[in-house]
Amino acid sequence: MNHDSGKLAQKIVAIVLVVAMLAAVRVPAIVIVGIVGAGVLIMLAVQRSQRRKTDQVFAFYIAADEVLCDEERRYRFEVAEAIKAGEKVVRLLPDAPPLSSFALGALHYSVDDHNAAIEHLALAAEEQILKDSIHKKPSRQLRRYVARLRQIERAPQRFARVNAAIQNLERLHRETGARLLAESQHHLKKLVEAYANDAAEQNKLPRNDGMISPSRQLNSITAPPPISQVLNDVYQEEATSS
């Protein structure tokens, strides 16, 4: 019995127990039917919502494959929309699969966002290592994703478009993942060095921020008049004008 079958059996047992308890306290049959019907509808709505979230991952794979395999013909907003979809996928899965992290990192690389590219490409490399770890406990979202992935793999003709996108992205991951990460790190390092050099050049320029020059004689600086003298001058001016 697989994981999904076990969960279904648990739900059926729970429904039977609820019906038995309601019948034991002599709840009318029509009320029992209504309660069971409402419970089934809620369960179906929850399953549909979960299925929709899982399908968003594979929709992102299709969008990323279309962009990465034909970058030159894509508008900038198309790439931005694919990146937005990928960011949403990463938030949906606490332990996102390596392929989604790679696809998102490759999209960031295509628009020269090397900081974000490093983040997701490095995460893809790390997840690829943890993928085979026996100590990694998968989340429920990852279990649903893997179940859906196996369903697609068992019927490649039925899910031809998404299956082709997955294969293309997996091939790109194997062939270019390490290179894209290394190039992004190189570009980011050059940006940091350029910023540091620019800051150093700015520090070499003369600065005039109002500070007293050491070469200026102190006796050339005249102190302001005392407040009593200022007030006396004001009173004298008022008396003269009156």
Side-chain angles (χ1 to χ4, degrees):
M1 181 181 294
N2 58 29
H3 185 263
D4 292 336
S5 299
K7 290 182 65 176
L8 179 60
Q10 291 177 358
K11 292 175 181 178
I12 294 175
V13 171
I15 292 174
V16 171
L17 290 176
V18 170
V19 172
M21 291 175 61
L22 293 176
V25 296
R26 298 185 178 182
V27 175
I30 189 170
V31 176
I32 295 177
V33 172
I35 294 175
V36 173
V40 172
L41 290 176
I42 293 173
M43 182 178 64
L44 291 176
V46 171
Q47 289 180 345
R48 185 177 179 182
S49 175
Q50 294 173 348
R51 176 71 172 271
R52 190 183 305 113
K53 291 180 180 178
T54 303
D55 288 342
Q56 288 179 5
V57 181
F58 298 99
F60 165 63
Y61 287 164
I62 294 175
D65 175 54
E66 291 176 348
V67 171
L68 295 175
C69 292
D70 194 12
E71 294 181 32
E72 297 181 355
R73 298 180 58 187
R74 295 295 167 179
Y75 286 96
R76 189 83 173 191
F77 73 87
E78 293 181 284
V79 184
E81 289 175 353
I83 290 175
K84 184 178 179 180
E87 297 287 357
K88 188 175 183 179
V89 165
V90 171
R91 291 193 298 268
L92 285 175
L93 279 74
D95 45 357
L99 191 61
S100 62
S101 297
F102 163 76
L104 184 55
L107 289 171
H108 280 295
Y109 176 88
S110 68
V111 294
D112 295 329
D113 187 355
H114 297 291
N115 189 28
I118 291 172
E119 176 185 354
H120 295 290
L121 291 173
L123 187 61
E126 178 183 351
E127 289 169 346
Q128 189 66 32
I129 297 174
L130 295 176
K131 183 178 177 180
D132 301 324
S133 174
I134 61 175
H135 303 290
K136 184 175 178 61
K137 184 178 180 180
S139 64
R140 290 179 296 176
Q141 294 91 329
L142 182 60
R143 287 184 179 276
R144 287 194 291 267
Y145 164 82
V146 172
R148 181 65 170 160
L149 178 63
R150 300 298 175 247
Q151 182 183 7
I152 293 172
E153 292 174 345
R154 286 192 294 268
Q157 294 181 348
R158 180 183 175 186
F159 306 100
R161 184 66 191 90
V162 65
N163 186 64
I166 292 172
Q167 291 182 355
N168 290 338
L169 292 175
E170 287 178 343
R171 176 179 53 80
L172 287 175
H173 190 190
R174 291 191 304 269
E175 296 177 356
T176 67
R179 178 177 61 81
L180 294 182
L181 178 58
E183 290 181 359
S184 295
Q185 292 172 335
H186 178 68
H187 282 291
L188 188 61
K189 182 180 178 181
K190 289 176 63 177
L191 288 175
V192 173
E193 291 176 349
Y195 176 80
N197 293 335
D198 184 64
E201 292 296 330
Q202 292 293 332
N203 291 332
K204 293 179 181 179
L205 297 176
R207 302 174 62 181
N208 184 15
D209 51 4
M211 297 181 62
I212 300 175
S213 174
S215 60
R216 187 176 178 184
Q217 298 294 331
L218 292 178
N219 55 11
S220 65
I221 303 175
T222 58
I227 187 62
S228 58
Q229 181 179 346
V230 174
L231 293 175
N232 186 34
D233 293 340
V234 172
Y235 292 148
Q236 289 180 359
E237 291 178 359
E238 292 180 352
T240 304
S241 61
S242 61

